[in-house]
Amino acid sequence: ALAVAMAAHVDAENLQAEGLTALGYGAMGDQQYKQAVVDGGGADAIAAAMRVHGRSARVQKPGCFTLRCFVLGSTTCTNNLATRIDLLC
């Protein structure tokens, strides 16, 4: 549901920042959560937030945190995110 809200309001900087933070904390060590978020469009939501708000530290900082949380310990999530994101944190 969070990824859907983020996708529907991609221009809302505060929503994107808070959404990224929530996704990141949820992903800390929980492989099933990570996969469910990726399967539900979360990777696209993360990528869109970081692209649309590329000059916003308010979005980029939690975006990088979230990417880190998703890729640690999960090759599948790493590969799914890598296909969608061409950013350097």
Side-chain angles (χ1 to χ4, degrees), residues 44-80:
D44 292 326
I46 294 166
M50 294 184 76
R51 282 192 186 109
V52 170
H53 301 283
R55 294 185 180 262
S56 169
R58 172 128 170 80
V59 173
Q60 293 299 309
K61 184 176 179 181
C64 291
F65 164 76
T66 299
L67 290 174
R68 181 177 180 272
C69 292
F70 269 85
V71 301
L72 288 176
S74 178
T75 304
T76 302
C77 288
T78 300
N79 291 339
N80 280 317

Side-chain angles (χ1 to χ4, degrees), residues 4-24:
V4 172
M6 290 174 67
H9 303 283
V10 73
D11 291 328
E13 182 178 352
N14 287 338
L15 175 82
Q16 299 304 313
E18 296 299 327
L20 288 167
T21 299
L23 289 174

